[in-house]
Amino acid sequence: MVTKVPSRPAAPRRLLRLLLATGVAATALSAVPQAAQASPAAPAAPVAQATADAKSGGATLTVAVSQSIDSLSPFLAQKLTSTSIHRLAYEYLTNYDAKDARTIPGLATAWSPSADKLTWTYTIREDSKWSDGKPATAEDAAWTFNKMMTDPNAATANGSFTANFKKVTATDPRTLVIELKKPQATMTALDVPIVPKHVWEKVGDFSKFNNDQQFPIVGNGPFVITDFKVDQYIKLKPNKTFWRGAPQFDELVFKYYKDGDAAVAALQKGEVSFVPNLTPAQAAALKSQKNVKVNDAPGRRFFAIATNPGARSQDGKTFGNGHKALLDPAVRKALFLAVDRTTIVDKVFQGHAVEGEGYIPPRFGSYFWKPETAQKRAYDPAGAEKILDAAGYRKNGEGKRVGKDGKVLDFRILCHATDPNDKAIGKYLQEWWGKLGIGLKVECLDSVSDPWVKGDYDLAFDGWSVNPDPDYVLSIHTCGTLPATPKDSGATDNFICDKEFDTLYAQQAVEYDAAKRADLVKRMQSRLYDTGYMNIMAYPNALEAYRTDQIKSITTMPEAAGNLWGQDGYWSWWSAVPTASATSSGDSDDSSSTGLILGVGAAAFILAGVGVWAARRRRTSADDRE
């Protein structure tokens, strides 16, 4: 089990919340407090004296990463790597408790709704400063939200949170008031980084500004972004004035490794201290390594096959070259009946996963859904054959299925070249679907963003990290997230637009009763399951490892049996304490030292390029976004 930070004096709770939380029943949006109570003790703040361990040159925590950054602008970033960095650099109004993911104060110390739930008042803390010394105020929060409300480009990443906002004002430096058009259940889970008005009001075109030219970047989180090089690294320093206490490592570096095995080798040599997203084989090999601790925790994401339902935009135009046969529900159902999830869990994930069905992983207990027996699509290749026969897709003389248009059913599936699970499952699909008479070409690319955004795919391996509150990952399947025109980039996952799903989404968004909202979320998952556009195959465990001779202690989330990478907040990196032996290794790629290295390996954090900025999607890795 991963070491936890020793308990320290209680401190008001911190704030970013998007990546991990176990199946806690209470989520940020379920309950609506009349006023936020003082939060329980947060994980112990890094002790100021504690860096006697790594005096010479300072201790550097280096994280190995393998996913491209889509943007360093909080208004554009959607990939897990980018949003994770923003959680370190900016505060959100509220945060998630490291123990059980309940809502706790962040930039806001308290909040209360009006009787009709249409006006929310937040008290902004007095002890938060921007890294350039200026105080963080309610005016910064009001400006952030108003910019998203008035500039569509500023709403690219998180516009769903403010779409229902009517008016946002700062009545004084410590009071933020948000007026709504109708009740909104996510008001204590607004996953929006608050930015400094005095810096961002100078920005012109928000669609092109990627916040990657001037360093250090002004923020008010526990870390300050100090340097960035495409596909090489991103560097952060502790924010010495952070209200909860400065992190203990002298530098945090996320270093890019395109190959997961290379990241593991770096961990074994002590060049990195932490590697996430391990394969079962890598985890097994590392368990016998001296000074290496493997963490195997229930995951917060799903692994799925997504079908192209016909790429379209809000102006009614269709585009892309998706196979027309996949528009037929019978074909989608047959394909999914011929997927053996048990084999995938046992053979590919080697037991380090749970068989998938619903959209929300089982760790989020109140929202977890399983189909009833009559609804369940269990592995049934014979049944798949019958469905295809009945729908008119007959086999020709060569044993190939032929569509109603006389063309054989040959599909393509987008595969992440950096994800061995994609490749392994692709081989199984070729075998299983081949027996149906359906061909499959597995197209593995370093970046699948371009063909995905263009709708140039038939199927794709898909994966999302789910937040304690599921609103965001549900919203990406609504009609409103389709791109405005074929030339635009929407927030949609894979162009799903289903009116019944949209109706349920609208209902859950305004439902404050926790049980009723959970029921609506389950009905949404049921609808997504029945349409067959998404086939959730597994909920992978979080397999990760770190060097105990470099990291003395670090906080998992949830603390009882949680993960380190991809948390709903900043607990892991903020709480990490270097060991006495952690000293500068001097193997930096440039002039700055990367002494103590903590690697977030294969599929966590690779910093992508300016050339990829325009494709603001979470596709480079299967572990995409919250």
Side-chain angles (χ1 to χ4, degrees), residues 94-154:
T94 57
N95 204 345
Y96 277 151
D97 190 299
K99 293 182 179 179
D100 57 12
R102 61 175 171 255
T103 302
I104 57 174
L107 182 59
T109 59
W111 47 88
S112 61
S114 59
D116 60 7
K117 306 295 192 297
L118 292 177
T119 301
W120 285 74
T121 302
Y122 300 83
T123 301
I124 304 301
R125 67 174 56 257
E126 298 181 0
D127 53 354
S128 178
K129 291 183 179 180
W130 298 109
S131 52
D132 62 2
K134 297 182 182 297
T137 69
E139 183 61 30
D140 295 304
W143 186 90
T144 299
F145 291 129
N146 277 304
K147 187 63 181 179
M148 294 170 62
M149 294 162 61
T150 57
D151 185 343
N153 292 320

Coordinates of all heavy atoms in Angstrom, one line a residue, residues 94-154:
T94 N -13.8 25.3 -5.6 CA -13.9 24.2 -4.6 C -12.9 23.1 -4.9 O -12.4 23.0 -6.0 CB -15.3 23.6 -4.5 OG1 -15.7 23.1 -5.8 CG2 -16.3 24.6 -4.0
N95 N -12.7 22.2 -4.0 CA -11.7 21.1 -4.2 C -12.4 19.8 -3.7 O -13.5 19.8 -3.2 CB -10.5 21.4 -3.4 CG -9.3 20.7 -4.0 OD1 -9.4 19.8 -4.8 ND2 -8.1 21.1 -3.5
Y96 N -11.6 18.7 -3.8 CA -12.1 17.4 -3.3 C -11.2 17.0 -2.2 O -10.0 17.1 -2.3 CB -12.0 16.4 -4.5 CG -13.2 16.4 -5.4 CD1 -13.0 16.0 -6.7 CD2 -14.4 16.8 -5.0 CE1 -14.0 16.0 -7.6 CE2 -15.5 16.7 -5.9 CZ -15.3 16.3 -7.2 OH -16.3 16.3 -8.1
D97 N -11.9 16.4 -1.2 CA -11.2 15.9 0.0 C -10.4 14.7 -0.5 O -10.9 13.8 -1.2 CB -12.2 15.4 1.0 CG -11.5 15.1 2.3 OD1 -10.7 14.1 2.4 OD2 -11.8 15.7 3.4
A98 N -9.1 14.6 -0.1 CA -8.3 13.5 -0.5 C -8.7 12.2 0.1 O -8.5 11.1 -0.5 CB -6.8 13.7 0.0
K99 N -9.4 12.2 1.2 CA -9.9 11.0 1.8 C -11.1 10.3 1.1 O -11.1 9.1 0.9 CB -10.3 11.2 3.3 CG -9.1 11.6 4.2 CD -9.5 11.8 5.6 CE -8.3 12.2 6.5 NZ -8.8 12.4 7.9
D100 N -12.1 11.1 0.8 CA -13.3 10.5 0.2 C -13.9 11.4 -0.9 O -15.1 11.1 -1.3 CB -14.3 10.3 1.4 CG -14.7 11.6 2.1 OD1 -14.3 12.7 1.6 OD2 -15.3 11.6 3.1
A101 N -13.2 12.4 -1.4 CA -13.7 13.2 -2.5 C -14.9 14.0 -2.3 O -15.5 14.5 -3.2 CB -13.9 12.3 -3.7
R102 N -15.3 14.3 -1.0 CA -16.4 15.2 -0.8 C -15.9 16.6 -1.1 O -14.7 16.9 -1.0 CB -16.9 15.1 0.6 CG -15.9 15.4 1.7 CD -16.6 15.3 3.1 NE -15.6 15.4 4.1 CZ -15.3 14.3 4.9 NH1 -15.8 13.2 4.6 NH2 -14.4 14.5 5.8
T103 N -16.8 17.5 -1.3 CA -16.5 18.9 -1.6 C -15.9 19.6 -0.4 O -16.4 19.5 0.7 CB -17.7 19.7 -2.1 OG1 -18.2 19.0 -3.3 CG2 -17.3 21.1 -2.5
I104 N -14.8 20.3 -0.6 CA -14.2 21.1 0.4 C -13.8 22.5 -0.2 O -13.7 22.6 -1.4 CB -12.9 20.4 1.0 CG1 -11.9 20.1 -0.1 CG2 -13.3 19.1 1.7 CD1 -10.6 19.5 0.3
P105 N -13.4 23.4 0.7 CA -13.1 24.7 0.2 C -11.8 24.7 -0.7 O -10.9 23.9 -0.5 CB -12.8 25.5 1.5 CG -13.7 24.9 2.5 CD -13.6 23.4 2.2
G106 N -11.8 25.7 -1.6 CA -10.6 25.9 -2.4 C -10.4 27.4 -2.4 O -10.0 27.9 -1.3
L107 N -10.5 28.1 -3.5 CA -10.4 29.5 -3.5 C -11.6 30.1 -2.7 O -11.5 31.1 -2.1 CB -10.4 30.1 -4.9 CG -10.2 31.6 -5.0 CD1 -8.9 32.1 -4.4 CD2 -10.3 32.0 -6.5
A108 N -12.7 29.4 -2.7 CA -13.8 29.8 -1.9 C -13.8 29.1 -0.6 O -13.6 27.8 -0.5 CB -15.1 29.5 -2.6
T109 N -14.0 29.8 0.5 CA -14.0 29.1 1.8 C -15.4 28.7 2.3 O -15.6 27.9 3.2 CB -13.4 30.1 2.9 OG1 -14.2 31.3 2.9 CG2 -12.0 30.5 2.6
A110 N -16.4 29.3 1.6 CA -17.8 29.0 2.0 C -18.7 29.3 0.8 O -18.3 30.2 -0.1 CB -18.3 29.7 3.2
W111 N -19.9 28.7 0.7 CA -20.8 29.0 -0.3 C -22.2 28.7 0.2 O -22.4 27.9 1.0 CB -20.5 28.2 -1.6 CG -20.3 26.7 -1.2 CD1 -21.2 25.7 -1.1 CD2 -19.0 26.1 -0.9 NE1 -20.6 24.5 -0.8 CE2 -19.3 24.7 -0.7 CE3 -17.7 26.6 -0.8 CZ2 -18.2 23.9 -0.3 CZ3 -16.7 25.7 -0.5 CH2 -17.0 24.4 -0.2
S112 N -23.2 29.4 -0.4 CA -24.6 29.2 0.0 C -25.5 29.6 -1.1 O -25.3 30.6 -1.8 CB -24.9 30.0 1.3 OG -24.8 31.4 1.0
P113 N -26.6 28.8 -1.3 CA -27.6 29.1 -2.4 C -28.7 29.8 -1.8 O -29.0 29.8 -0.6 CB -28.0 27.7 -2.9 CG -27.9 26.9 -1.6 CD -26.8 27.4 -0.8
S114 N -29.4 30.6 -2.7 CA -30.7 31.2 -2.3 C -31.7 30.1 -2.1 O -31.5 28.9 -2.5 CB -31.1 32.2 -3.3 OG -31.3 31.6 -4.6
A115 N -32.9 30.4 -1.6 CA -34.0 29.5 -1.4 C -34.4 28.8 -2.7 O -34.7 27.6 -2.7 CB -35.1 30.1 -0.7
D116 N -34.4 29.6 -3.8 CA -34.8 29.0 -5.1 C -33.7 28.4 -5.9 O -33.8 27.9 -7.0 CB -35.5 30.0 -5.9 CG -34.6 31.2 -6.2 OD1 -33.4 31.2 -5.9 OD2 -35.1 32.2 -6.8
K117 N -32.5 28.4 -5.3 CA -31.3 27.8 -5.8 C -30.8 28.5 -7.1 O -30.0 28.0 -7.9 CB -31.5 26.3 -6.2 CG -31.9 25.4 -5.0 CD -30.9 25.4 -3.9 CE -31.3 24.3 -2.9 NZ -32.5 24.6 -2.1
L118 N -31.3 29.7 -7.3 CA -30.9 30.4 -8.5 C -29.8 31.5 -8.3 O -29.2 32.0 -9.3 CB -32.1 31.2 -9.1 CG -33.2 30.2 -9.7 CD1 -34.4 31.1 -10.1 CD2 -32.7 29.4 -10.8
T119 N -29.4 31.7 -7.1 CA -28.3 32.6 -6.8 C -27.4 31.9 -5.8 O -27.8 31.5 -4.7 CB -28.9 33.9 -6.2 OG1 -29.7 34.6 -7.1 CG2 -27.7 34.9 -5.9
W120 N -26.1 31.9 -6.1 CA -25.1 31.3 -5.3 C -24.1 32.3 -4.9 O -23.6 33.1 -5.7 CB -24.4 30.1 -6.0 CG -25.3 28.9 -6.1 CD1 -26.4 28.7 -6.9 CD2 -25.1 27.7 -5.4 NE1 -26.9 27.5 -6.7 CE2 -26.2 26.8 -5.8 CE3 -24.2 27.3 -4.4 CZ2 -26.3 25.6 -5.3 CZ3 -24.4 26.0 -3.9 CH2 -25.4 25.2 -4.3
T121 N -23.8 32.4 -3.6 CA -22.8 33.3 -3.0 C -21.6 32.6 -2.5 O -21.8 31.7 -1.7 CB -23.5 34.2 -2.0 OG1 -24.6 34.9 -2.5 CG2 -22.5 35.2 -1.4
Y122 N -20.5 33.0 -2.9 CA -19.2 32.4 -2.5 C -18.3 33.4 -1.8 O -18.2 34.5 -2.2 CB -18.4 31.8 -3.7 CG -19.1 30.8 -4.6 CD1 -20.1 31.2 -5.5 CD2 -18.9 29.5 -4.4 CE1 -20.7 30.3 -6.3 CE2 -19.6 28.5 -5.1 CZ -20.5 28.9 -6.1 OH -21.2 28.0 -6.9
T123 N -17.8 32.9 -0.7 CA -16.8 33.7 0.1 C -15.4 33.4 -0.4 O -15.0 32.2 -0.2 CB -17.0 33.5 1.6 OG1 -18.3 33.8 2.0 CG2 -16.0 34.4 2.4
I124 N -14.7 34.3 -0.9 CA -13.4 34.1 -1.4 C -12.3 34.3 -0.3 O -12.4 35.3 0.5 CB -13.0 35.0 -2.6 CG1 -14.1 34.9 -3.7 CG2 -11.7 34.8 -3.1 CD1 -14.2 33.5 -4.2
R125 N -11.4 33.4 -0.2 CA -10.4 33.4 0.9 C -9.5 34.7 0.8 O -9.3 35.2 -0.3 CB -9.6 32.2 1.0 CG -8.7 31.9 -0.2 CD -7.8 30.7 0.0 NE -8.6 29.5 0.3 CZ -8.7 29.0 1.5 NH1 -8.2 29.5 2.6 NH2 -9.5 27.9 1.7
E126 N -9.1 35.1 2.0 CA -8.2 36.3 2.1 C -6.7 36.0 1.9 O -5.9 36.9 1.7 CB -8.5 37.0 3.4 CG -9.9 37.5 3.6 CD -10.1 38.2 4.9 OE1 -9.1 38.3 5.6 OE2 -11.2 38.7 5.2
D127 N -6.4 34.7 2.0 CA -5.0 34.4 2.1 C -4.4 33.7 0.8 O -3.4 33.0 0.8 CB -4.7 33.4 3.3 CG -5.6 32.2 3.3 OD1 -6.5 32.1 2.5 OD2 -5.4 31.3 4.2
S128 N -5.1 34.0 -0.3 CA -4.6 33.4 -1.6 C -4.0 34.6 -2.4 O -4.7 35.6 -2.6 CB -5.7 32.8 -2.4 OG -5.2 32.3 -3.6
K129 N -2.8 34.4 -2.9 CA -2.1 35.4 -3.7 C -1.7 34.8 -5.0 O -1.3 33.6 -5.1 CB -0.9 36.0 -2.9 CG -1.2 36.8 -1.7 CD 0.1 37.3 -1.1 CE -0.1 38.2 0.1 NZ 1.1 38.7 0.7
W130 N -1.6 35.7 -6.0 CA -1.0 35.3 -7.3 C 0.5 35.2 -7.1 O 1.0 35.9 -6.2 CB -1.4 36.2 -8.4 CG -2.9 36.2 -8.6 CD1 -3.8 37.2 -8.3 CD2 -3.7 35.1 -9.2 NE1 -5.1 36.9 -8.6 CE2 -5.1 35.6 -9.2 CE3 -3.4 33.9 -9.6 CZ2 -6.1 34.8 -9.6 CZ3 -4.4 33.1 -10.1 CH2 -5.8 33.5 -10.1
S131 N 1.1 34.4 -7.9 CA 2.6 34.2 -7.7 C 3.4 35.5 -8.0 O 4.6 35.5 -7.7 CB 3.1 33.1 -8.6 OG 2.7 33.3 -9.9
D132 N 2.7 36.5 -8.6 CA 3.4 37.8 -8.8 C 3.2 38.7 -7.6 O 3.6 39.9 -7.7 CB 3.0 38.5 -10.1 CG 1.6 38.8 -10.2 OD1 0.8 38.6 -9.2 OD2 1.1 39.3 -11.2
G133 N 2.6 38.2 -6.5 CA 2.4 39.0 -5.3 C 1.0 39.7 -5.2 O 0.7 40.1 -4.1
K134 N 0.3 39.8 -6.2 CA -1.1 40.5 -6.2 C -2.1 39.5 -5.5 O -2.0 38.3 -5.7 CB -1.5 40.9 -7.5 CG -0.6 41.9 -8.2 CD -1.2 42.3 -9.6 CE -0.3 43.3 -10.3 NZ -0.1 44.6 -9.6
P135 N -3.0 40.1 -4.8 CA -4.0 39.2 -4.1 C -5.0 38.6 -5.1 O -5.4 39.3 -6.1 CB -4.7 40.2 -3.2 CG -4.6 41.6 -3.8 CD -3.2 41.5 -4.4
A136 N -5.4 37.4 -4.8 CA -6.5 36.8 -5.6 C -7.8 37.2 -5.0 O -8.0 37.0 -3.8 CB -6.3 35.3 -5.6
T137 N -8.7 37.7 -5.8 CA -10.0 38.2 -5.3 C -11.2 37.6 -6.1 O -11.0 36.9 -7.1 CB -10.0 39.7 -5.5 OG1 -10.1 40.1 -6.9 CG2 -8.8 40.4 -4.8
A138 N -12.4 38.0 -5.6 CA -13.6 37.6 -6.3 C -13.7 38.2 -7.7 O -14.3 37.6 -8.6 CB -14.8 38.1 -5.5
E139 N -13.0 39.3 -7.9 CA -13.0 39.9 -9.2 C -12.3 39.0 -10.3 O -12.7 39.0 -11.4 CB -12.3 41.3 -9.2 CG -12.3 42.1 -10.5 CD -13.7 42.4 -11.0 OE1 -14.6 42.6 -10.2 OE2 -13.9 42.5 -12.2
D140 N -11.3 38.3 -9.8 CA -10.6 37.4 -10.7 C -11.6 36.3 -11.2 O -11.6 35.9 -12.3 CB -9.4 36.8 -10.1 CG -8.3 37.8 -9.8 OD1 -7.9 38.5 -10.7 OD2 -7.9 37.9 -8.6
A141 N -12.3 35.7 -10.2 CA -13.3 34.7 -10.5 C -14.4 35.2 -11.4 O -14.8 34.5 -12.3 CB -13.8 34.1 -9.2
A142 N -14.9 36.4 -11.1 CA -16.0 36.9 -11.9 C -15.5 37.2 -13.3 O -16.2 36.9 -14.3 CB -16.5 38.2 -11.3
W143 N -14.3 37.7 -13.5 CA -13.8 37.9 -14.8 C -13.6 36.6 -15.6 O -13.9 36.5 -16.8 CB -12.4 38.7 -14.7 CG -11.9 39.1 -16.1 CD1 -12.2 40.2 -16.7 CD2 -11.1 38.3 -17.0 NE1 -11.6 40.2 -18.0 CE2 -10.9 39.1 -18.1 CE3 -10.6 37.0 -16.9 CZ2 -10.2 38.6 -19.2 CZ3 -9.8 36.5 -18.0 CH2 -9.6 37.3 -19.1
T144 N -13.1 35.6 -14.9 CA -12.9 34.3 -15.6 C -14.2 33.8 -16.1 O -14.3 33.4 -17.3 CB -12.3 33.3 -14.6 OG1 -11.1 33.7 -14.1 CG2 -12.2 31.9 -15.2
F145 N -15.3 33.8 -15.3 CA -16.6 33.2 -15.7 C -17.2 34.1 -16.8 O -17.8 33.6 -17.7 CB -17.5 33.1 -14.5 CG -17.1 32.0 -13.5 CD1 -17.0 32.3 -12.2 CD2 -16.8 30.7 -14.0 CE1 -16.6 31.3 -11.3 CE2 -16.4 29.7 -13.1 CZ -16.3 30.0 -11.8
N146 N -17.1 35.4 -16.6 CA -17.7 36.3 -17.6 C -17.1 36.2 -18.9 O -17.7 36.3 -20.0 CB -17.7 37.8 -17.1 CG -18.8 38.1 -16.1 OD1 -20.0 38.0 -16.5 ND2 -18.5 38.6 -14.9
K147 N -15.7 36.0 -18.9 CA -15.0 35.8 -20.2 C -15.6 34.5 -20.9 O -15.8 34.5 -22.1 CB -13.5 35.7 -20.0 CG -12.7 35.6 -21.2 CD -12.9 36.9 -22.0 CE -12.1 36.9 -23.3 NZ -12.3 38.2 -24.1
M148 N -15.8 33.5 -20.2 CA -16.3 32.2 -20.7 C -17.7 32.4 -21.2 O -18.2 31.8 -22.2 CB -16.3 31.1 -19.7 CG -14.9 30.7 -19.3 SD -14.9 29.6 -17.8 CE -15.7 28.2 -18.5
M149 N -18.5 33.3 -20.6 CA -19.9 33.5 -21.0 C -20.0 34.4 -22.2 O -21.0 34.3 -22.9 CB -20.6 34.2 -19.8 CG -20.8 33.3 -18.6 SD -21.2 34.2 -17.1 CE -22.7 35.0 -17.5
T150 N -19.0 35.2 -22.5 CA -19.1 36.2 -23.6 C -18.2 35.9 -24.8 O -18.4 36.4 -25.8 CB -18.8 37.6 -23.1 OG1 -17.4 37.6 -22.5 CG2 -19.8 38.0 -22.0
D151 N -17.2 35.0 -24.6 CA -16.3 34.7 -25.7 C -16.4 33.2 -25.9 O -15.9 32.4 -25.1 CB -14.9 35.1 -25.3 CG -13.9 34.9 -26.4 OD1 -14.2 34.1 -27.4 OD2 -12.8 35.5 -26.4
P152 N -16.9 32.7 -27.0 CA -17.0 31.3 -27.3 C -15.7 30.6 -27.2 O -15.6 29.4 -26.8 CB -17.7 31.2 -28.7 CG -18.4 32.5 -28.8 CD -17.6 33.5 -28.1
N153 N -14.6 31.2 -27.6 CA -13.3 30.6 -27.6 C -12.8 30.4 -26.2 O -12.1 29.4 -26.0 CB -12.3 31.5 -28.4 CG -12.6 31.6 -29.9 OD1 -12.9 30.6 -30.5 ND2 -12.5 32.8 -30.4
A154 N -13.2 31.2 -25.3 CA -12.8 31.0 -23.9 C -13.7 29.9 -23.2 O -13.3 29.5 -22.1 CB -13.0 32.3 -23.1

